[in-house]
């Protein structure tokens, strides 16, 4: 069965939510209630690690923060697939970084 490349063109206008995750942490409600101005919340990701790019909650890529015209932007460094058996931190769709990707940062 062959699918014509334009067969799914009608899906191109469907709105999806793209999010970029800086990191995660776990806190008690008591800790959250003490947050205020100048509070610091330490996340589980190091500053040199790539960020997760998700569409509707599914990881599709990894990237790094850049500045563009006075705004934050994201440079995509790696596209993800479902072909990996190892899933770090229980996030579906993440693949291990390929050898040599360290130079891309």
């Amino acid at each position: 069965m062959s699918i014509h490349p334009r067969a799914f063109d009608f899906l191109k206008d469907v709105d999806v939510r793209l999010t970029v995750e800086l990191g995660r942490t776990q806190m008690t409600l008591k800790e959250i209630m003490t947050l205020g101005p100048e509070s610091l919340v330490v996340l589980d990701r190091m500053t040199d690690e790539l960020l997760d790019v998700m569409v509707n909650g599914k990881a599709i890529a990894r990237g790094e923060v850049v500045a563009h015209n006075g705004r934050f932007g994201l440079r995509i460094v790696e596209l993800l697939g479902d072909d990996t058996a190892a899933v770090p931190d229980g996030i579906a769709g993440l693949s291990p970084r390929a050898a040599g990707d360290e130079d891309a940062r």
Side-chain angles (χ1 to χ4, degrees), residues 81-100:
D82 289 330
D83 59 336
T84 179
V87 180
D89 298 326
I91 300 175
L94 289 182
S95 63
R97 298 198 60 196

Side-chain angles (χ1 to χ4, degrees), residues 21-93:
E21 184 173 288
L22 292 174
R24 297 179 182 191
T25 194
Q26 189 167 341
M27 300 173 74
T28 64
L29 187 54
K30 180 180 179 179
E31 292 169 321
I32 291 171
M33 292 176 68
T34 64
L35 293 176
E38 305 295 321
S39 292
L40 178 65
V41 177
V42 179
L43 303 175
D44 64 350
R45 191 164 309 209
M46 302 300 288
T47 56
D48 63 344
E49 288 184 67
L50 296 176
L51 306 178
D52 296 323
V53 180
M54 295 177 280
V55 171
N56 290 346
K58 178 169 176 56
I60 62 151
R62 297 179 85 195
E64 57 192 8
V65 174
V66 296
H68 180 72
N69 293 334
R71 302 183 112 186
F72 287 114
L74 183 80
R75 177 181 297 122
I76 301 297
V77 173
E78 168 182 19
L79 294 175
L80 305 178
D82 289 330
D83 59 336
T84 179
V87 180
D89 298 326
I91 300 175

